[in-house]
Amino acid sequence: LLTDVAGSLWPRDLIERCRGAAPEAGTLVRVVVGVDPPASAEGTCGIVACGLDRDGVGHVLADHSAGGLSPDGWARKVAAAAEAHGADRIVAETNQGGDMVLSVLRAAGIALPVTRASATQSKPARAEPIAGLFEAGKARFAGRFAELEAELAALVPQGYGRPRHSPDRADAMVWALWALLIAPRAEPRVWRT
């Protein structure tokens, strides 16, 4: 049961308005797995799969986040999520670990391209534009994700409303949707001489 936090970026009514069925097979043009690696062995590794449909709408497909895993353990979980959803890219925050994060993912057998995401703003500041996409109908939840939704509901512009807890699932979702809906993309061009 979600409770509203004053000023939440994802109030309960927004989450419910943005809930729908999973996209039909073959309707997604891209799938990305967002990863927020844990800072310690006790932490949770945020692992969230998101897809982009032909209409340009982002869908949260699954939350594969897990806690208490070794680096090899969470990297294998990322690899399994990527395979399960047919991902074409991994987006991993590298503030905690840098090149080590990429090495651990490669050692787990991930051959997909990995985009390094470097956080320069707080988690709530990164989340605000993504919350705006949900408000505008450009992002949806393909089902129910209780733990992810609880983290989202506790995000406010000034911080996070759950002391001694990090919104790792929420951050992984933010990175995945950022890659699908906000990151600048190079448009194909033909060079003429």
PDB file of all heavy atoms in Angstrom, residues 56-84:
ATOM      1  N   GLY A  56       6.708   6.100 -29.360  1.00  0.00           N
ATOM      2  CA  GLY A  56       7.610   6.906 -28.558  1.00  0.00           C
ATOM      3  C   GLY A  56       7.275   6.933 -27.082  1.00  0.00           C
ATOM      4  O   GLY A  56       7.712   7.832 -26.360  1.00  0.00           O
ATOM      5  N   VAL A  57       6.518   5.952 -26.605  1.00  0.00           N
ATOM      6  CA  VAL A  57       6.154   5.866 -25.193  1.00  0.00           C
ATOM      7  C   VAL A  57       7.073   4.852 -24.514  1.00  0.00           C
ATOM      8  O   VAL A  57       7.280   3.751 -25.025  1.00  0.00           O
ATOM      9  CB  VAL A  57       4.675   5.460 -25.011  1.00  0.00           C
ATOM     10  CG1 VAL A  57       4.329   5.262 -23.536  1.00  0.00           C
ATOM     11  CG2 VAL A  57       3.764   6.505 -25.645  1.00  0.00           C
ATOM     12  N   GLY A  58       7.620   5.226 -23.350  1.00  0.00           N
ATOM     13  CA  GLY A  58       8.467   4.338 -22.576  1.00  0.00           C
ATOM     14  C   GLY A  58       7.628   3.485 -21.638  1.00  0.00           C
ATOM     15  O   GLY A  58       6.644   3.962 -21.067  1.00  0.00           O
ATOM     16  N   HIS A  59       8.023   2.230 -21.476  1.00  0.00           N
ATOM     17  CA  HIS A  59       7.290   1.298 -20.612  1.00  0.00           C
ATOM     18  C   HIS A  59       8.257   0.672 -19.615  1.00  0.00           C
ATOM     19  O   HIS A  59       9.301   0.141 -20.018  1.00  0.00           O
ATOM     20  CB  HIS A  59       6.643   0.181 -21.442  1.00  0.00           C
ATOM     21  CG  HIS A  59       5.642   0.676 -22.421  1.00  0.00           C
ATOM     22  ND1 HIS A  59       4.300   0.768 -22.123  1.00  0.00           N
ATOM     23  CD2 HIS A  59       5.791   1.133 -23.702  1.00  0.00           C
ATOM     24  CE1 HIS A  59       3.661   1.256 -23.174  1.00  0.00           C
ATOM     25  NE2 HIS A  59       4.536   1.479 -24.149  1.00  0.00           N
ATOM     26  N   VAL A  60       7.902   0.719 -18.338  1.00  0.00           N
ATOM     27  CA  VAL A  60       8.650  -0.017 -17.323  1.00  0.00           C
ATOM     28  C   VAL A  60       8.176  -1.458 -17.427  1.00  0.00           C
ATOM     29  O   VAL A  60       7.009  -1.748 -17.174  1.00  0.00           O
ATOM     30  CB  VAL A  60       8.399   0.561 -15.913  1.00  0.00           C
ATOM     31  CG1 VAL A  60       9.176  -0.234 -14.869  1.00  0.00           C
ATOM     32  CG2 VAL A  60       8.781   2.040 -15.859  1.00  0.00           C
ATOM     33  N   LEU A  61       9.073  -2.351 -17.812  1.00  0.00           N
ATOM     34  CA  LEU A  61       8.708  -3.737 -18.093  1.00  0.00           C
ATOM     35  C   LEU A  61       8.884  -4.655 -16.887  1.00  0.00           C
ATOM     36  O   LEU A  61       8.068  -5.554 -16.682  1.00  0.00           O
ATOM     37  CB  LEU A  61       9.555  -4.277 -19.253  1.00  0.00           C
ATOM     38  CG  LEU A  61       9.480  -3.488 -20.560  1.00  0.00           C
ATOM     39  CD1 LEU A  61      10.481  -4.040 -21.562  1.00  0.00           C
ATOM     40  CD2 LEU A  61       8.063  -3.520 -21.118  1.00  0.00           C
ATOM     41  N   ALA A  62       9.960  -4.461 -16.125  1.00  0.00           N
ATOM     42  CA  ALA A  62      10.234  -5.366 -15.005  1.00  0.00           C
ATOM     43  C   ALA A  62      11.258  -4.762 -14.067  1.00  0.00           C
ATOM     44  O   ALA A  62      12.117  -3.983 -14.482  1.00  0.00           O
ATOM     45  CB  ALA A  62      10.750  -6.704 -15.527  1.00  0.00           C
ATOM     46  N   ASP A  63      11.152  -5.150 -12.802  1.00  0.00           N
ATOM     47  CA  ASP A  63      12.115  -4.773 -11.774  1.00  0.00           C
ATOM     48  C   ASP A  63      12.818  -6.051 -11.337  1.00  0.00           C
ATOM     49  O   ASP A  63      12.213  -6.921 -10.721  1.00  0.00           O
ATOM     50  CB  ASP A  63      11.392  -4.110 -10.598  1.00  0.00           C
ATOM     51  CG  ASP A  63      12.322  -3.759  -9.452  1.00  0.00           C
ATOM     52  OD1 ASP A  63      13.554  -3.866  -9.610  1.00  0.00           O
ATOM     53  OD2 ASP A  63      11.811  -3.369  -8.391  1.00  0.00           O
ATOM     54  N   HIS A  64      14.091  -6.177 -11.696  1.00  0.00           N
ATOM     55  CA  HIS A  64      14.894  -7.355 -11.357  1.00  0.00           C
ATOM     56  C   HIS A  64      15.884  -7.040 -10.235  1.00  0.00           C
ATOM     57  O   HIS A  64      16.849  -7.796 -10.035  1.00  0.00           O
ATOM     58  CB  HIS A  64      15.669  -7.849 -12.590  1.00  0.00           C
ATOM     59  CG  HIS A  64      14.796  -8.333 -13.694  1.00  0.00           C
ATOM     60  ND1 HIS A  64      14.269  -9.608 -13.726  1.00  0.00           N
ATOM     61  CD2 HIS A  64      14.342  -7.710 -14.813  1.00  0.00           C
ATOM     62  CE1 HIS A  64      13.547  -9.753 -14.831  1.00  0.00           C
ATOM     63  NE2 HIS A  64      13.570  -8.618 -15.496  1.00  0.00           N
ATOM     64  N   SER A  65      15.692  -5.945  -9.539  1.00  0.00           N
ATOM     65  CA  SER A  65      16.626  -5.504  -8.501  1.00  0.00           C
ATOM     66  C   SER A  65      16.803  -6.575  -7.431  1.00  0.00           C
ATOM     67  O   SER A  65      15.885  -7.342  -7.138  1.00  0.00           O
ATOM     68  CB  SER A  65      16.116  -4.218  -7.852  1.00  0.00           C
ATOM     69  OG  SER A  65      15.919  -3.214  -8.835  1.00  0.00           O
ATOM     70  N   ALA A  66      18.000  -6.611  -6.858  1.00  0.00           N
ATOM     71  CA  ALA A  66      18.305  -7.603  -5.820  1.00  0.00           C
ATOM     72  C   ALA A  66      19.349  -7.047  -4.871  1.00  0.00           C
ATOM     73  O   ALA A  66      20.199  -6.258  -5.271  1.00  0.00           O
ATOM     74  CB  ALA A  66      18.812  -8.890  -6.457  1.00  0.00           C
ATOM     75  N   GLY A  67      19.265  -7.481  -3.639  1.00  0.00           N
ATOM     76  CA  GLY A  67      20.215  -7.034  -2.629  1.00  0.00           C
ATOM     77  C   GLY A  67      21.081  -8.164  -2.120  1.00  0.00           C
ATOM     78  O   GLY A  67      20.778  -9.342  -2.303  1.00  0.00           O
ATOM     79  N   GLY A  68      22.188  -7.782  -1.473  1.00  0.00           N
ATOM     80  CA  GLY A  68      23.059  -8.752  -0.826  1.00  0.00           C
ATOM     81  C   GLY A  68      23.852  -9.635  -1.761  1.00  0.00           C
ATOM     82  O   GLY A  68      24.301 -10.705  -1.363  1.00  0.00           O
ATOM     83  N   LEU A  69      24.036  -9.204  -3.006  1.00  0.00           N
ATOM     84  CA  LEU A  69      24.763 -10.022  -3.971  1.00  0.00           C
ATOM     85  C   LEU A  69      26.197  -9.533  -4.138  1.00  0.00           C
ATOM     86  O   LEU A  69      26.484  -8.345  -3.989  1.00  0.00           O
ATOM     87  CB  LEU A  69      24.070  -9.978  -5.339  1.00  0.00           C
ATOM     88  CG  LEU A  69      22.648 -10.512  -5.413  1.00  0.00           C
ATOM     89  CD1 LEU A  69      22.079 -10.284  -6.809  1.00  0.00           C
ATOM     90  CD2 LEU A  69      22.619 -11.992  -5.062  1.00  0.00           C
ATOM     91  N   SER A  70      27.082 -10.448  -4.489  1.00  0.00           N
ATOM     92  CA  SER A  70      28.451 -10.077  -4.851  1.00  0.00           C
ATOM     93  C   SER A  70      28.399  -9.334  -6.182  1.00  0.00           C
ATOM     94  O   SER A  70      27.388  -9.394  -6.898  1.00  0.00           O
ATOM     95  CB  SER A  70      29.298 -11.340  -5.002  1.00  0.00           C
ATOM     96  OG  SER A  70      28.844 -12.082  -6.128  1.00  0.00           O
ATOM     97  N   PRO A  71      29.485  -8.649  -6.577  1.00  0.00           N
ATOM     98  CA  PRO A  71      29.494  -8.029  -7.905  1.00  0.00           C
ATOM     99  C   PRO A  71      29.189  -9.023  -9.021  1.00  0.00           C
ATOM    100  O   PRO A  71      28.422  -8.718  -9.935  1.00  0.00           O
ATOM    101  CB  PRO A  71      30.910  -7.450  -8.014  1.00  0.00           C
ATOM    102  CG  PRO A  71      31.268  -7.121  -6.597  1.00  0.00           C
ATOM    103  CD  PRO A  71      30.676  -8.267  -5.800  1.00  0.00           C
ATOM    104  N   ASP A  72      29.757 -10.231  -8.929  1.00  0.00           N
ATOM    105  CA  ASP A  72      29.460 -11.250  -9.927  1.00  0.00           C
ATOM    106  C   ASP A  72      27.978 -11.621  -9.908  1.00  0.00           C
ATOM    107  O   ASP A  72      27.364 -11.812 -10.958  1.00  0.00           O
ATOM    108  CB  ASP A  72      30.319 -12.499  -9.681  1.00  0.00           C
ATOM    109  CG  ASP A  72      30.038 -13.586 -10.702  1.00  0.00           C
ATOM    110  OD1 ASP A  72      30.286 -13.348 -11.899  1.00  0.00           O
ATOM    111  OD2 ASP A  72      29.565 -14.668 -10.293  1.00  0.00           O
ATOM    112  N   GLY A  73      27.399 -11.692  -8.709  1.00  0.00           N
ATOM    113  CA  GLY A  73      25.989 -12.046  -8.567  1.00  0.00           C
ATOM    114  C   GLY A  73      25.063 -11.035  -9.197  1.00  0.00           C
ATOM    115  O   GLY A  73      24.143 -11.396  -9.952  1.00  0.00           O
ATOM    116  N   TRP A  74      25.288  -9.737  -8.922  1.00  0.00           N
ATOM    117  CA  TRP A  74      24.379  -8.749  -9.521  1.00  0.00           C
ATOM    118  C   TRP A  74      24.625  -8.612 -11.024  1.00  0.00           C
ATOM    119  O   TRP A  74      23.693  -8.380 -11.784  1.00  0.00           O
ATOM    120  CB  TRP A  74      24.360  -7.415  -8.791  1.00  0.00           C
ATOM    121  CG  TRP A  74      25.613  -6.607  -8.666  1.00  0.00           C
ATOM    122  CD1 TRP A  74      26.368  -6.431  -7.550  1.00  0.00           C
ATOM    123  CD2 TRP A  74      26.229  -5.790  -9.678  1.00  0.00           C
ATOM    124  NE1 TRP A  74      27.422  -5.583  -7.803  1.00  0.00           N
ATOM    125  CE2 TRP A  74      27.352  -5.177  -9.100  1.00  0.00           C
ATOM    126  CE3 TRP A  74      25.942  -5.525 -11.015  1.00  0.00           C
ATOM    127  CZ2 TRP A  74      28.196  -4.319  -9.802  1.00  0.00           C
ATOM    128  CZ3 TRP A  74      26.777  -4.661 -11.724  1.00  0.00           C
ATOM    129  CH2 TRP A  74      27.889  -4.074 -11.115  1.00  0.00           C
ATOM    130  N   ALA A  75      25.878  -8.788 -11.455  1.00  0.00           N
ATOM    131  CA  ALA A  75      26.151  -8.699 -12.902  1.00  0.00           C
ATOM    132  C   ALA A  75      25.453  -9.830 -13.656  1.00  0.00           C
ATOM    133  O   ALA A  75      24.918  -9.625 -14.747  1.00  0.00           O
ATOM    134  CB  ALA A  75      27.656  -8.727 -13.149  1.00  0.00           C
ATOM    135  N   ARG A  76      25.431 -11.019 -13.072  1.00  0.00           N
ATOM    136  CA  ARG A  76      24.721 -12.141 -13.703  1.00  0.00           C
ATOM    137  C   ARG A  76      23.214 -11.876 -13.745  1.00  0.00           C
ATOM    138  O   ARG A  76      22.531 -12.253 -14.689  1.00  0.00           O
ATOM    139  CB  ARG A  76      25.025 -13.448 -12.978  1.00  0.00           C
ATOM    140  CG  ARG A  76      26.431 -13.939 -13.215  1.00  0.00           C
ATOM    141  CD  ARG A  76      26.682 -15.285 -12.539  1.00  0.00           C
ATOM    142  NE  ARG A  76      28.073 -15.655 -12.627  1.00  0.00           N
ATOM    143  CZ  ARG A  76      28.650 -16.162 -13.712  1.00  0.00           C
ATOM    144  NH1 ARG A  76      27.937 -16.377 -14.800  1.00  0.00           N
ATOM    145  NH2 ARG A  76      29.927 -16.464 -13.712  1.00  0.00           N
ATOM    146  N   LYS A  77      22.713 -11.214 -12.716  1.00  0.00           N
ATOM    147  CA  LYS A  77      21.285 -10.852 -12.686  1.00  0.00           C
ATOM    148  C   LYS A  77      20.980  -9.842 -13.797  1.00  0.00           C
ATOM    149  O   LYS A  77      19.936  -9.911 -14.440  1.00  0.00           O
ATOM    150  CB  LYS A  77      20.933 -10.293 -11.313  1.00  0.00           C
ATOM    151  CG  LYS A  77      19.470 -10.194 -11.053  1.00  0.00           C
ATOM    152  CD  LYS A  77      19.135 -10.909  -9.749  1.00  0.00           C
ATOM    153  CE  LYS A  77      17.710 -10.676  -9.371  1.00  0.00           C
ATOM    154  NZ  LYS A  77      16.812 -11.718  -9.779  1.00  0.00           N
ATOM    155  N   VAL A  78      21.891  -8.892 -14.039  1.00  0.00           N
ATOM    156  CA  VAL A  78      21.737  -7.932 -15.138  1.00  0.00           C
ATOM    157  C   VAL A  78      21.736  -8.679 -16.468  1.00  0.00           C
ATOM    158  O   VAL A  78      20.896  -8.425 -17.339  1.00  0.00           O
ATOM    159  CB  VAL A  78      22.854  -6.857 -15.111  1.00  0.00           C
ATOM    160  CG1 VAL A  78      22.823  -6.006 -16.376  1.00  0.00           C
ATOM    161  CG2 VAL A  78      22.740  -5.982 -13.870  1.00  0.00           C
ATOM    162  N   ALA A  79      22.664  -9.626 -16.633  1.00  0.00           N
ATOM    163  CA  ALA A  79      22.741 -10.393 -17.876  1.00  0.00           C
ATOM    164  C   ALA A  79      21.458 -11.182 -18.109  1.00  0.00           C
ATOM    165  O   ALA A  79      20.935 -11.215 -19.237  1.00  0.00           O
ATOM    166  CB  ALA A  79      23.945 -11.339 -17.826  1.00  0.00           C
ATOM    167  N   ALA A  80      20.917 -11.783 -17.058  1.00  0.00           N
ATOM    168  CA  ALA A  80      19.668 -12.549 -17.197  1.00  0.00           C
ATOM    169  C   ALA A  80      18.503 -11.638 -17.562  1.00  0.00           C
ATOM    170  O   ALA A  80      17.662 -11.998 -18.390  1.00  0.00           O
ATOM    171  CB  ALA A  80      19.371 -13.294 -15.894  1.00  0.00           C
ATOM    172  N   ALA A  81      18.449 -10.448 -16.971  1.00  0.00           N
ATOM    173  CA  ALA A  81      17.378  -9.496 -17.294  1.00  0.00           C
ATOM    174  C   ALA A  81      17.479  -9.044 -18.747  1.00  0.00           C
ATOM    175  O   ALA A  81      16.469  -8.958 -19.459  1.00  0.00           O
ATOM    176  CB  ALA A  81      17.434  -8.295 -16.351  1.00  0.00           C
ATOM    177  N   ALA A  82      18.691  -8.760 -19.197  1.00  0.00           N
ATOM    178  CA  ALA A  82      18.892  -8.328 -20.583  1.00  0.00           C
ATOM    179  C   ALA A  82      18.447  -9.419 -21.554  1.00  0.00           C
ATOM    180  O   ALA A  82      17.772  -9.144 -22.556  1.00  0.00           O
ATOM    181  CB  ALA A  82      20.352  -7.961 -20.814  1.00  0.00           C
ATOM    182  N   GLU A  83      18.796 -10.655 -21.252  1.00  0.00           N
ATOM    183  CA  GLU A  83      18.402 -11.763 -22.120  1.00  0.00           C
ATOM    184  C   GLU A  83      16.889 -11.973 -22.092  1.00  0.00           C
ATOM    185  O   GLU A  83      16.253 -12.167 -23.135  1.00  0.00           O
ATOM    186  CB  GLU A  83      19.115 -13.043 -21.695  1.00  0.00           C
ATOM    187  CG  GLU A  83      18.833 -14.197 -22.631  1.00  0.00           C
ATOM    188  CD  GLU A  83      19.633 -15.439 -22.286  1.00  0.00           C
ATOM    189  OE1 GLU A  83      20.696 -15.334 -21.659  1.00  0.00           O
ATOM    190  OE2 GLU A  83      19.166 -16.529 -22.659  1.00  0.00           O
ATOM    191  N   ALA A  84      16.293 -11.926 -20.910  1.00  0.00           N
ATOM    192  CA  ALA A  84      14.856 -12.168 -20.768  1.00  0.00           C
ATOM    193  C   ALA A  84      14.017 -11.161 -21.548  1.00  0.00           C
ATOM    194  O   ALA A  84      12.949 -11.494 -22.062  1.00  0.00           O
ATOM    195  CB  ALA A  84      14.453 -12.142 -19.293  1.00  0.00           C
TER     196      ALA A  84
END
